[in-house]
Amino acid sequence: MEEVLKKEKNLTEGSLWNKILIFAIPLALSSMLQQLFNSADVAVVGRFADKNALAAVGSNGPIINLMVNLFVGLSVGANVVISRYIGQQDHKQIEKAVHTSILLAIVSGLFLAVLGLFISRPMLQFMKSPSETIDLATTYLKIYFLGMPFEMLYNFSSAILRSKGDTERPLISLLISGVINVALNFVFVLGLKMSVSGVAIATVISEIVSSSLLLYFLTHEKGYLKLDFKKLAIDGRILKEIARIGIPSGLQGMVFSISNISIQSEINDLGSVIMSASAVALNFEIFVYYLLNAFGQASVTFTGQNYGACKLDRCKKSVMLCMLLGGLATIVMSSLVLIFANPLSSLYSTDTEVIKLAVIRMKWVISFELVNLAIEVFSGSLRGYGYSLVPAMISIFGICGFRILWVNTIYKSNPTFERLLMAYPISWLITATFIVASYFIVKKHIKKEVQDELSHREIELSNR
């Protein structure tokens, strides 16, 4: 087994910058492809259905994110735990963690599927969805959540592969499933005139394909990540550790979603034109976010493995390189989107007012994504160290608390679209400041922990 470990990607030795790029680029492309194929849902209904269908599909993002982020956070916890065991070369614990993670994915997916059926319409009503779109939006959400078991299996399976530095096979899976999704969109919407139900069914089918491919890869692994369905079981100690890291990470994602729901509620209140414009702009905002988030995920995995190997210098260097490389990528991507904002928006709508408002939103949000990169990278490193609660608590106050306060005070005093959008960059600046400061405080504490661990290992070796 030790020979297998050596053959796998070793993130604890050798050059870092190229390994970070090899890790982050396929991961970013995977997320972008996923969003591109999701955007196909918006584009198809926007072009071949009507404005209400476009608003119904495009405005559901905050609800979906709110409900799935806690469990996606658990997949991050699985990534950190397995990465740390890889750094320690503890293959027995790796095997237990893999099977615990897959069973956790199945249970959480089934839970979300059932919950989604009951909570979809009440959540849309809470978000002030207009009467002309709420029925369509409810239909879309209910069908979408039926695919949750497969989405969770994909998220946890890709997290397991990421823990050893493999981001290529999730990319292959998404590419295949995404092409199927786009093809089915045209069949169901253009051919069968199924509108929002058509794009929702196409999404579920593509999720079945992507999760099945990753499960195939895991069951045919030759190393320590091999999945055997007969060995599926929950290891209590590992589950506790996954939850300790993953729940705060999930709560951090939920905090973003809650704050976005409060903003989306006000957007919905401003009418279907602004709803459609925000739905269009969000497609490009999310592309930039997924690019920078890939470097945040790299920070999680590289910190986790090197912390497990007690190599703090590599942990520190990984964070700095993630910021440098991620910063360059974010600047280039953001600039391109802003330069071509008008023609890009016209891909999703032919309404001139929708395009104009979409460009305004992109300028307010995408111009400040570099600040968001700092939040992702330093939060990722803190999670890799096992301090997942720290960035979560800061985000609760800096993101969620501030945006809700902004919406109910500054925005309410002059309820314009641009004033509402100002909540994004200001909340990012506040949150980034405190997360970066916390990183340097925690790093001092980690140094002592690693020194104690190395001393413990030396004593064990001398006693053998």
Side-chain angles (χ1 to χ4, degrees), residues 24-264:
I25 290 174
L27 180 57
L29 289 174
S30 296
S31 299
M32 288 178 184
L33 276 172
Q34 190 171 29
Q35 181 56 35
L36 182 64
F37 298 133
N38 290 341
S39 298
D41 295 353
V42 179
V44 169
V45 294
R47 287 280 183 174
F48 302 110
D50 55 37
K51 183 169 62 178
N52 290 335
L54 172 61
V57 174
S59 62
N60 279 324
I63 294 177
I64 293 169
N65 291 336
L66 174 64
M67 293 181 65
V68 304
N69 270 340
L70 178 61
F71 298 98
V72 171
L74 289 175
S75 73
V76 173
N79 176 288
V80 172
V81 169
I82 297 171
S83 294
R84 195 175 297 173
Y85 287 140
I86 291 172
Q88 296 168 0
Q89 297 196 359
D90 190 340
H91 60 267
K92 289 183 179 179
Q93 293 301 102
I94 294 170
E95 182 178 301
K96 289 180 181 179
V98 167
H99 291 89
T100 296
S101 298
I102 293 297
L103 187 53
L104 180 59
I106 295 169
V107 172
S108 59
L110 291 172
F111 171 78
L112 283 171
V114 175
L115 181 63
L117 293 176
F118 292 99
I119 204 172
S120 294
R121 192 174 188 89
M123 285 295 294
L124 289 165
Q125 290 170 334
F126 175 76
M127 289 176 60
K128 306 175 186 176
S129 289
S131 58
E132 64 267 25
T133 66
I134 192 168
D135 288 339
L136 291 170
T138 301
T139 298
Y140 180 86
L141 274 180
K142 286 185 175 182
I143 297 172
Y144 184 94
F145 277 106
L146 288 175
M148 275 298 116
F150 305 102
E151 183 170 335
M152 288 299 106
L153 278 170
Y154 173 82
N155 283 322
F156 277 81
S157 297
S158 60
I160 290 168
L161 291 171
R162 281 202 310 273
S163 67
K164 69 164 187 175
D166 183 356
T167 55
E168 293 92 347
R169 285 184 289 182
L171 173 60
I172 294 169
S173 301
L174 272 179
L175 183 60
I176 294 170
S177 64
V179 171
I180 292 171
N181 184 25
V182 173
L184 290 177
N185 278 338
F186 285 103
V187 171
F188 292 145
V189 178
L190 191 58
L192 301 178
K193 310 295 182 185
M194 294 176 68
S195 188
V196 296
S197 61
V199 295
I201 293 170
T203 298
V204 171
I205 292 173
S206 70
E207 287 169 352
I208 293 171
V209 172
S210 61
S211 61
S212 298
L213 285 169
L214 287 191
L215 288 174
Y216 174 83
F217 291 141
L218 286 174
T219 54
H220 288 75
E221 278 285 300
K222 297 188 182 298
Y224 49 87
L225 296 181
K226 182 178 177 63
L227 173 65
D228 183 347
F229 286 107
K230 294 178 182 178
K231 295 182 180 179
L232 286 181
I234 296 290
D235 183 284
R237 192 175 69 83
I238 289 175
L239 177 61
K240 184 178 178 181
E241 189 66 9
I242 289 174
R244 185 183 70 81
I245 297 168
I247 288 177
S249 177
L251 288 173
Q252 185 175 346
M254 290 179 71
V255 160
F256 279 89
S257 299
I258 291 169
S259 63
N260 288 338
I261 283 176
S262 68
I263 293 176
Q264 186 65 47

Side-chain angles (χ1 to χ4, degrees), residues 321-438:
L321 282 172
C322 284
M323 278 300 300
L324 176 62
L325 297 171
L328 291 172
T330 301
I331 289 170
V332 171
M333 184 72 168
S334 299
S335 299
L336 288 172
V337 172
L338 291 173
I339 290 169
F340 297 103
N342 271 289
L344 288 172
S345 299
S346 65
L347 294 173
Y348 293 90
S349 178
T350 55
D351 189 312
T352 55
E353 186 65 18
V354 168
I355 294 171
K356 175 185 173 183
L357 292 168
V359 172
I360 289 173
R361 172 167 173 141
M362 280 189 267
K363 287 179 179 178
W364 273 106
V365 177
I366 293 177
S367 299
F368 295 89
E369 290 286 11
L370 201 59
V371 181
N372 208 5
L373 172 68
I375 296 174
E376 293 294 324
V377 170
F378 286 97
S379 291
S381 183
L382 287 167
R383 286 195 289 270
Y385 283 131
Y387 285 78
S388 192
L389 187 60
V390 174
M393 293 303 297
I394 293 172
S395 296
I396 287 173
F397 293 101
I399 298 288
C400 187
F402 176 81
R403 288 181 185 176
I404 291 173
L405 180 65
W406 180 274
V407 165
N408 290 286
T409 55
I410 305 298
Y411 168 72
K412 291 292 187 184
S413 66
N414 184 20
T416 65
F417 186 44
E418 289 193 67
R419 179 164 288 203
L420 182 62
L421 296 175
M422 289 171 66
Y424 287 106
I426 297 174
S427 62
W428 285 339
L429 286 165
I430 293 170
T431 304
T433 300
F434 284 97
I435 284 179
V436 172
S438 297

